[in-house]
Amino acid sequence: SQKISKTRWRPLPAAALQPPDLFATGSWDNEDNRLAVWGVGDLGNVGLSGEYQGEPQLLCDIRHDGDVMDMQFLDEERIVVASSTGTVTIFRHHQNNQTLSVNQRWEKAHYHVNQDASCGGAACTGVICNNPEIVTVGEDGRINLFRADQKDPVRTIDNADSSTLHAVTFLRITEILTVNSIGQLKIWDLRQQRNEPSQIFSLTGDRVPLHCVDRHPNQQHIVATGGQDGMLSIWDIRQGTMPVSLLNAHEAEMWEVHFHPSNPDHLFTCSEDGSLWHWDTSTDISDKPSFLHQGGRSTTYFSHTTMNQSVVSAWLSNDPTKDRMEITNLIPNQTLSVNSLDVLGPCLVYGTDAEAIYVSRQLFA
Amino acid sequence: PSQVVPGADPSARQLCFAWGPAEVMVCETLFGRRGGSPSRGEAEPGRALLPGALTGCVAGSGEGEPSSSRLFVVRKDQDIYIQTWRKLFNEAHGIFVGLQRSEEELAGKSRKAQLVQVSKNYRSVIRACMEDMHQASISAQDPALQSQYSTQVSILSAMELIWNLCEILFVEAAAAGPLLLRLLDWVRLHVCDVDNMVREVLSSENPTKHELFWNVVNVFVLQGRMDEARHLLSKEASANPTSLNMYKILDDLMKKMPVHSLSNTQTLTEMELKWQHWHEECQRYLQDGTFASNPHMESICKILLGDEDAILQKKELMTTWYHFLVTRLLYSHPTVKPMELQFYAQSSLDLFLGGESSPEPLDAILMAAFEFEMHQVIKECSIALSNWWFVAHLTDLLDHCKLLQSHNLYFGSNMREFLLLEYASGLFSHHSLWQLGVDYFDHCPKYGRVYLELHTERIPLNTEQKALKVLRICEQRQMHEQVRSICKIMAMKALRNNRLGSALSWSIRAKDAAFATLISDRFLKDYCERGCFSDLDLIDNLGPSMLLSDRLTFLGKYREFHRLYGEKRFSEAAKLLLMLMTAHIAPCSFWMTLLMDALPLLEQKEVIFSAEQTYELMRCLEDLTAGKSDKQKLQDDDVKSTKVEMLRLALARNLARVIVKEGTLEGS
């Protein structure tokens, strides 16, 4: 057992109906850090109460140099891992014989140039991929754009930020969004050759560092960020340079924020204070037919109209705390930091500094 | 536990020691061993022995010829480094924190139930860890590793055995009656050497014909598992119709044996009366020779009567003296009171060992528990076990049971705190488990904070994320000194990596004015060299933190001047520039640069500086040049004097223009 820094579900093929069955974890702060792949078995294990019964099974693991700072599945068998040594590695998970191997590696993708002109690796803090493109950010304030099959970076923006970049996400195919340690949100257009952000948003006043960022899966202008003071900020990047709403949440650093990928009325956040919150804005529209599991074209029109009334107003309304949002803490009596979480379908997985991994398979019971 | 440091030889060299927070350094000196008797602390001559709870583990030793001095690093608490134990530490941490938070308001019974539950939780964690270790030892290929694992399993099982006994005697404090039931459970749970035999017999085709059949029956009787024994006997009886009557009588006796049950409300006297009656009945059957024809059954009857010799004959089936003790109590003193335990325990130990072997540490610990010598138990455990985990958690639990309050050590605070501090210090010496130690220190009222302060300063900070975590720990506890030092370390690191922006952010977070000044100077120096600012996104967004140091204020304002200038808001820019000098915000060394910045403003087509402002500028220039002695002036190169000349010219021209302009404006 090791302290868990990241947990990620393996993505499912688009047509799949069954819940995810594999996830990967990364550890930190060990002499010997590991990347591990776990299986959670079949649905048959779910008891009548809906609680997941079986324990996750360790399928395979591999040594990882340095702390796992961030990771993401590139596709169903490749995982991109960011290391505190500045190296970015793609691991391949061989399903037939359950092994992991290194597929591609960029040594010292992030680095510092010391005063005596020698290079030292700088921690790579965030990675996001949109197959085949991979974007990484680091403590050196650098942004790298890689392609999974190319040895050299496609594009590097040195000194993209004067402070540490903490996280990155894709806004559109050609635009990325970064958050940094002085409370700024920057949009970068990768088509432009200028090494400057196309837009900067910032929190007012206190320059509270932002640690995580996620974009609304359907409405690309809605962005959620989490900061050092545990505050959840919702931004509308179409207008203004300030967050639309600031929600008091955790008591310490918010390490991750995730919109539910197929059910974006739900948001999940976890924090250093050992709590994991489920934010639910769907409560007052629950009587309407659900458009969230839309499958065919016939419902699309319908979903479009309801979205304007409910979802948009749910996250962007000026006073979301009053009656629309239901917030539940999913972990009672937790003491040590929850470093990472991931949601997919009805499943949630999270990892903590208490060296424990938890899986919940019935989020919306 | 004391342990030999391998390789260190005080008979050849004199050794010296240096004590650290978690490690001890032992090094060989140049001095040879002078003649004389070896010091008394040594068990065997020629070996270095570290007393107390230091467990030797050489982390590194110098290489080279034998003559060169070697250095040993001896770590505390070796068990911390065992992989499989990490689960134990983590789970126990959760239980520990839960226990500290639990409400003490719960009165009497419910509080006791709560504490017993906590104790059971601890035990189940030990059991789970044991299970893992057992699996590991089975799957291990390497025999050395395998034996290492099985040693760990036996240590864990001993720990669980002791804990369980302490739970019965101290935490639950079972009264006469239930006490024996608890002890029986305890024996059944832990004497598992015979379980294999039982399983083998029961799974055989015809158990009654098995050569170990009577052994199994005896095991059941000795452990008080009457129903199982009767079940087996009934099988045997049906195979021997001739002696059916004999079996029936024995079966009847076993059935009738009065047992204290937790639910019924009979008093001890009632129970004793019934038991006396039953005892006499057994006695009668034995004396009239009912079982004389079958030695097995006769011996069982003797056991039922509590005959010590008969029980002792089954020594191999009990394997331990405490099993013997419990069996003996079951059949001769079923209503034993807690305080009487020690007499029976001591005599059982003596009888069982029969002077053949001497008691081991585990025996001493259990004996101390039977004697209700809690401190002795903890002391013996500290010596015998190679970790602090056990004693620290047990002592804490007993302390919550309010059993240890009168006891104060002549050093430190009290025993609970002392042990917790030792354990947590061990955790802090681990590269990854240090986070758990924090909560333990939090619950040490007297020295916890000091320990935490000393230890947090020694956590290596490899990444910003780790630094943030440590910082959060310090901030939550208002450890300002440590917060400052961490930020300073991070700022220094960033500076060394040429990350001025990061360095500035860290020093602003630490409110470290001196360092902010230093970094601001670096920014200004870079500007002078390159003619442009780096890290604009940071400097433009300083906000109120700009006021941290004068130099930082200047940096922010100077950048603002550039922005105003860039936006062609000349008069505002000019005003700001002048203010920077007249209000003495700018350092003197920078004045020349500022005046040169004024030059383009002076040369603009429209007049920007008013007459008054121009006078101010001229005074600034004179202040700058007049302050220096003639000697310095000579040293100033031509460039500088040209600059001064240029400025004077520009100022004069501007003054001329402004006088004309202001004159005409007033005139018109």
Side-chain angles (χ1 to χ4, degrees), chain B residues 18 45-46 49 55 75 102 132 215 225 277 307 338 405-406 415 435 457 470 500 534 556 559 570 572 610 635 642 657:
Chain B
L49 200 68
T55 308
R75 272 177 179 171
S102 69
D132 282 353
N215 275 354
R225 291 151 77 172
H277 186 74
D307 185 300
Q405 268 159 349
S406 57
M415 185 148 73
Q435 267 176 305
E457 283 171 358
V470 182
L500 292 184
S534 56
R559 162 64 196 156
F570 294 129
E572 283 166 74
S610 68
Q635 284 172 343
T642 327
R657 281 161 59 195

Short mmCIF file of all heavy atoms in Angstrom, two decimals, chain B residues 18 45-46 49 55 75 102 132 215 225 277 307 338 405-406 415 435 457 470 500 534 556 559 570 572 610 635 642 657:
data_model
loop_
_atom_site.label_atom_id
_atom_site.label_comp_id
_atom_site.label_asym_id
_atom_site.label_seq_id
_atom_site.Cartn_x
_atom_site.Cartn_y
_atom_site.Cartn_z
N ALA B 18 26.19 9.94 18.07
CA ALA B 18 25.50 11.22 17.95
C ALA B 18 24.02 10.91 17.82
O ALA B 18 23.63 10.07 17.02
CB ALA B 18 26.00 11.99 16.73
N PRO B 45 31.42 -9.11 25.17
CA PRO B 45 32.52 -8.23 24.78
C PRO B 45 32.71 -8.27 23.27
O PRO B 45 32.46 -9.29 22.62
CB PRO B 45 33.73 -8.81 25.53
CG PRO B 45 33.35 -10.19 25.88
CD PRO B 45 31.86 -10.24 25.97
N GLY B 46 33.13 -7.16 22.75
CA GLY B 46 33.42 -7.14 21.32
C GLY B 46 32.23 -6.82 20.46
O GLY B 46 32.26 -6.99 19.25
N LEU B 49 26.32 -2.55 21.63
CA LEU B 49 24.94 -2.86 21.97
C LEU B 49 24.22 -1.56 22.23
O LEU B 49 24.68 -0.74 23.01
CB LEU B 49 24.94 -3.72 23.22
CG LEU B 49 23.70 -4.53 23.49
CD1 LEU B 49 23.57 -5.61 22.44
CD2 LEU B 49 23.81 -5.15 24.86
N THR B 55 16.31 -0.12 17.45
CA THR B 55 16.52 -1.37 16.76
C THR B 55 17.57 -1.13 15.70
O THR B 55 17.44 -0.24 14.89
CB THR B 55 15.22 -1.84 16.12
OG1 THR B 55 14.24 -1.84 17.13
CG2 THR B 55 15.40 -3.23 15.58
N ARG B 75 18.81 3.16 12.74
CA ARG B 75 17.46 3.72 12.71
C ARG B 75 16.64 3.22 13.88
O ARG B 75 16.79 2.09 14.32
CB ARG B 75 16.75 3.28 11.44
CG ARG B 75 17.00 4.19 10.28
CD ARG B 75 16.32 3.61 9.09
NE ARG B 75 16.49 4.45 7.93
CZ ARG B 75 16.13 4.08 6.72
NH1 ARG B 75 15.60 2.89 6.53
NH2 ARG B 75 16.28 4.89 5.70
N SER B 102 -13.83 10.76 20.02
CA SER B 102 -15.07 10.22 20.58
C SER B 102 -15.45 10.97 21.85
O SER B 102 -14.61 11.41 22.61
CB SER B 102 -14.89 8.73 20.89
OG SER B 102 -14.00 8.59 21.97
N ASP B 132 -2.52 -10.91 5.71
CA ASP B 132 -1.74 -10.47 4.55
C ASP B 132 -0.33 -11.04 4.60
O ASP B 132 0.21 -11.52 3.60
CB ASP B 132 -1.65 -8.94 4.53
CG ASP B 132 -2.92 -8.32 4.02
OD1 ASP B 132 -3.80 -9.09 3.57
OD2 ASP B 132 -3.06 -7.09 4.10
N ASN B 215 -7.89 -37.82 21.06
CA ASN B 215 -7.21 -36.53 21.23
C ASN B 215 -8.14 -35.37 20.94
O ASN B 215 -8.18 -34.37 21.65
CB ASN B 215 -6.01 -36.45 20.28
CG ASN B 215 -4.79 -37.11 20.89
OD1 ASN B 215 -4.83 -37.52 22.06
ND2 ASN B 215 -3.73 -37.22 20.12
N ARG B 225 -15.54 -26.97 24.87
CA ARG B 225 -16.49 -27.04 23.74
C ARG B 225 -17.32 -28.31 23.90
O ARG B 225 -17.16 -29.29 23.18
CB ARG B 225 -15.73 -27.03 22.42
CG ARG B 225 -15.07 -25.68 22.17
CD ARG B 225 -13.83 -25.79 21.34
NE ARG B 225 -14.07 -25.97 19.92
CZ ARG B 225 -13.11 -25.94 19.00
NH1 ARG B 225 -11.87 -25.73 19.38
NH2 ARG B 225 -13.40 -26.12 17.74
N HIS B 277 -23.04 -29.14 43.24
CA HIS B 277 -23.89 -30.31 43.11
C HIS B 277 -23.42 -31.21 41.97
O HIS B 277 -23.26 -32.41 42.11
CB HIS B 277 -25.32 -29.83 42.85
CG HIS B 277 -26.32 -30.92 42.85
ND1 HIS B 277 -26.73 -31.54 44.02
CD2 HIS B 277 -26.99 -31.52 41.85
CE1 HIS B 277 -27.60 -32.46 43.71
NE2 HIS B 277 -27.79 -32.49 42.40
N ASP B 307 -9.15 -32.43 37.97
CA ASP B 307 -7.96 -33.11 38.47
C ASP B 307 -6.71 -32.60 37.74
O ASP B 307 -6.57 -32.78 36.53
CB ASP B 307 -8.13 -34.62 38.26
CG ASP B 307 -6.99 -35.41 38.86
OD1 ASP B 307 -5.83 -35.18 38.44
OD2 ASP B 307 -7.26 -36.21 39.75
N PRO B 338 -11.46 -11.69 39.27
CA PRO B 338 -10.29 -11.16 38.57
C PRO B 338 -9.05 -11.11 39.45
O PRO B 338 -7.95 -11.40 39.01
CB PRO B 338 -10.73 -9.75 38.17
CG PRO B 338 -12.20 -9.79 38.10
CD PRO B 338 -12.64 -10.83 39.10
N GLN B 405 -4.03 7.08 35.05
CA GLN B 405 -3.87 8.49 35.33
C GLN B 405 -2.87 8.83 36.43
O GLN B 405 -2.20 9.85 36.37
CB GLN B 405 -5.22 9.10 35.66
CG GLN B 405 -5.86 9.65 34.41
CD GLN B 405 -7.33 9.80 34.55
OE1 GLN B 405 -7.93 9.32 35.50
NE2 GLN B 405 -7.95 10.46 33.61
N SER B 406 -2.77 7.97 37.41
CA SER B 406 -1.93 8.34 38.55
C SER B 406 -0.44 8.29 38.20
O SER B 406 0.38 8.84 38.89
CB SER B 406 -2.19 7.40 39.72
OG SER B 406 -1.95 6.07 39.28
N MET B 415 3.28 8.55 30.63
CA MET B 415 3.70 7.42 29.81
C MET B 415 3.02 7.42 28.45
O MET B 415 3.65 7.15 27.43
CB MET B 415 3.38 6.12 30.54
CG MET B 415 3.91 4.94 29.81
SD MET B 415 4.38 3.65 30.89
CE MET B 415 2.80 3.07 31.39
N GLN B 435 3.00 11.70 7.33
CA GLN B 435 1.71 12.38 7.45
C GLN B 435 0.87 11.84 8.61
O GLN B 435 0.09 12.56 9.21
CB GLN B 435 0.92 12.23 6.15
CG GLN B 435 1.16 13.38 5.20
CD GLN B 435 0.45 13.16 3.89
OE1 GLN B 435 0.64 12.14 3.23
NE2 GLN B 435 -0.36 14.10 3.49
N GLU B 457 10.25 20.66 10.13
CA GLU B 457 11.36 21.37 9.49
C GLU B 457 12.28 20.42 8.74
O GLU B 457 13.06 20.84 7.91
CB GLU B 457 12.17 22.12 10.54
CG GLU B 457 11.49 23.39 10.98
CD GLU B 457 12.17 24.02 12.18
OE1 GLU B 457 13.14 23.44 12.68
OE2 GLU B 457 11.69 25.08 12.60
N VAL B 470 2.67 20.20 3.55
CA VAL B 470 3.33 20.49 4.83
C VAL B 470 2.90 21.87 5.32
O VAL B 470 2.62 22.08 6.50
CB VAL B 470 4.86 20.42 4.67
CG1 VAL B 470 5.53 20.69 6.00
CG2 VAL B 470 5.29 19.07 4.15
N LEU B 500 11.85 33.66 -11.10
CA LEU B 500 11.65 34.82 -10.24
C LEU B 500 10.19 34.96 -9.82
O LEU B 500 9.88 35.29 -8.69
CB LEU B 500 12.10 36.08 -10.98
CG LEU B 500 13.60 36.19 -11.21
CD1 LEU B 500 13.91 37.53 -11.85
CD2 LEU B 500 14.35 36.04 -9.92
N SER B 534 10.18 40.81 -17.31
CA SER B 534 9.67 39.45 -17.45
C SER B 534 8.52 39.28 -16.45
O SER B 534 8.33 40.10 -15.56
CB SER B 534 10.79 38.46 -17.16
OG SER B 534 11.32 38.72 -15.87
N GLY B 556 6.28 47.48 -8.58
CA GLY B 556 4.90 47.52 -9.08
C GLY B 556 4.56 48.85 -9.70
O GLY B 556 3.98 48.93 -10.79
N ARG B 559 6.42 49.51 -12.96
CA ARG B 559 5.76 48.79 -14.05
C ARG B 559 4.50 49.52 -14.47
O ARG B 559 4.19 49.60 -15.66
CB ARG B 559 5.47 47.36 -13.59
CG ARG B 559 4.45 46.61 -14.42
CD ARG B 559 4.88 46.37 -15.85
NE ARG B 559 3.70 45.99 -16.63
CZ ARG B 559 3.58 46.14 -17.93
NH1 ARG B 559 4.57 46.67 -18.64
NH2 ARG B 559 2.49 45.77 -18.56
N PHE B 570 0.37 60.14 -21.02
CA PHE B 570 1.66 60.71 -20.66
C PHE B 570 1.64 61.50 -19.37
O PHE B 570 2.52 61.39 -18.54
CB PHE B 570 2.19 61.57 -21.81
CG PHE B 570 2.52 60.78 -23.03
CD1 PHE B 570 2.03 61.12 -24.28
CD2 PHE B 570 3.34 59.65 -22.93
CE1 PHE B 570 2.34 60.38 -25.41
CE2 PHE B 570 3.65 58.91 -24.05
CZ PHE B 570 3.15 59.27 -25.29
N GLU B 572 -0.28 61.33 -16.78
CA GLU B 572 -0.37 60.46 -15.60
C GLU B 572 0.96 59.77 -15.35
O GLU B 572 1.43 59.65 -14.21
CB GLU B 572 -1.45 59.40 -15.79
CG GLU B 572 -2.86 59.93 -15.61
CD GLU B 572 -3.89 58.95 -16.14
OE1 GLU B 572 -4.10 57.94 -15.47
OE2 GLU B 572 -4.44 59.20 -17.24
N SER B 610 4.70 70.25 -15.96
CA SER B 610 4.46 71.65 -15.67
C SER B 610 5.76 72.28 -15.18
O SER B 610 6.73 71.57 -14.92
CB SER B 610 3.37 71.78 -14.60
OG SER B 610 3.86 71.31 -13.37
N GLN B 635 35.61 59.71 -11.59
CA GLN B 635 35.55 58.30 -11.99
C GLN B 635 34.38 58.01 -12.92
O GLN B 635 34.41 57.07 -13.70
CB GLN B 635 35.45 57.41 -10.76
CG GLN B 635 36.80 57.28 -10.04
CD GLN B 635 36.67 56.56 -8.73
OE1 GLN B 635 35.57 56.43 -8.20
NE2 GLN B 635 37.79 56.10 -8.20
N THR B 642 27.52 62.57 -20.20
CA THR B 642 26.73 62.92 -21.37
C THR B 642 25.24 62.88 -21.03
O THR B 642 24.48 63.77 -21.42
CB THR B 642 26.98 61.92 -22.52
OG1 THR B 642 28.32 61.48 -22.47
CG2 THR B 642 26.65 62.52 -23.86
N ARG B 657 9.66 75.95 -22.77
CA ARG B 657 8.38 75.76 -23.44
C ARG B 657 7.23 75.92 -22.47
O ARG B 657 6.21 76.54 -22.79
CB ARG B 657 8.31 74.36 -24.06
CG ARG B 657 9.07 74.29 -25.37
CD ARG B 657 9.41 72.86 -25.74
NE ARG B 657 8.23 72.03 -25.87
CZ ARG B 657 8.26 70.69 -25.89
NH1 ARG B 657 9.42 70.08 -25.77
NH2 ARG B 657 7.16 70.01 -26.02
#
